[in-house]
Amino acid sequence: MPTEVELGRLEQQGIADRLDLSAARVEVKSIAHALGLRRRGIVTGIEAGFVMRNEVGNDAGHEPVLGGSLALQLPIFDPGHADLARIQAYLRQAQHRLQDAAIHARSEIRVHRAEVVAARRKVEHYQKTVLPRAESITDLTLLQYNAMLVGTYQLLETRSDQIEAHRQYVEALRDYWIARSDLELAVGGRLGPDSD
């Protein structure tokens, strides 16, 4: 089985690799860039497009004219303080969403890592204690059966207990790999080559 990965490294990898956090970082950067452009006055209210209208009038027989249009907003009466405050508010909201997503990601990684550690310990307990004990009990019961000290039903019951222990081990191993895949999903990628 793979070795356990340190929690700090998992959190760093999760913060770097998760797509939801990357999207939140891109949102913060783009809003910060828009704020910088607005502060420099580079981005003003510009509207460009195509217009179709009737130049002469709306009477019948006058044909519409198709052409381009350009509208520039001159900050004579409106210096743009409201727009600047709105963009700053959007930036703060995006920063808070990024912080919230990072906190949520860290807590999700911690929960899933704890599940992996618990599942791993359960598998190791089965490997080191339960399975060897069940096998030795079956072997001793078989010796007692050969010496005619126990009956067939007791031997079959012991063998059934050994098979049940193996089944529980397989279920514990399955639970470990499910918990590990949940952890990889929470981290946002594979856990690394040294952990495989």
Side-chain angles (χ1 to χ4, degrees):
M1 262 193 308
T3 59
E4 294 177 12
V5 184
E6 295 177 15
L7 180 61
R9 196 174 130 244
L10 283 177
E11 287 181 1
Q12 289 173 354
Q13 182 180 354
I15 296 300
D17 292 348
R18 283 181 60 131
L19 295 179
D20 56 345
L21 293 175
S22 297
R25 279 192 292 273
V26 167
E27 181 185 17
V28 168
K29 286 180 184 177
S30 63
I31 293 174
H33 184 67
L35 180 63
L37 291 176
R38 184 67 180 119
R39 281 190 176 145
R40 287 188 220 119
I42 295 174
V43 177
T44 59
I46 299 174
E47 293 180 21
F50 289 101
V51 175
M52 185 167 79
R53 62 181 173 188
N54 205 340
E55 287 291 328
V56 179
N58 292 332
D59 299 339
H62 294 286
E63 294 192 20
V65 177
L66 180 64
S69 71
L70 179 65
L72 293 173
Q73 182 182 22
L74 298 176
I76 297 173
F77 298 109
D78 182 16
H81 295 303
D83 287 340
L84 192 62
R86 180 177 50 84
I87 295 173
Q88 287 173 340
Y90 285 155
L91 179 62
R92 283 191 302 275
Q93 288 174 352
Q95 288 169 340
H96 289 298
R97 280 192 297 270
L98 174 61
Q99 185 180 14
D100 180 55
I103 291 170
H104 179 72
R106 282 189 183 104
S107 67
E108 189 177 352
I109 289 169
R110 286 181 187 138
V111 166
H112 288 298
R113 185 180 182 277
E115 290 173 356
V116 167
V117 169
R120 181 183 182 88
R121 287 183 182 151
K122 185 175 181 181
V123 167
E124 288 174 351
H125 174 70
Y126 273 100
Q127 286 175 338
K128 294 177 181 176
T129 306
V130 175
L131 293 180
R133 185 177 296 160
E135 189 173 329
S136 67
I137 289 173
T138 302
D139 290 344
L140 290 174
T141 306
L142 184 61
L143 286 176
Q144 290 177 347
Y145 175 76
N146 289 337
M148 296 184 186
L149 297 174
V150 294
T152 307
Y153 292 113
Q154 290 172 327
L155 178 64
L156 291 175
E157 183 180 351
T158 305
R159 180 70 176 139
S160 175
D161 290 343
Q162 182 185 13
I163 291 170
E164 178 65 21
H166 276 283
R167 187 188 65 75
Q168 289 174 353
Y169 167 71
V170 169
E171 286 180 1
L173 196 58
R174 178 203 62 196
D175 292 342
Y176 167 78
W177 285 107
I178 289 173
R180 184 175 168 85
S181 67
D182 288 343
L183 178 61
E184 286 181 345
L185 184 65
V187 168
R190 296 190 60 86
L191 296 181
D194 60 341
S195 63
D196 286 335

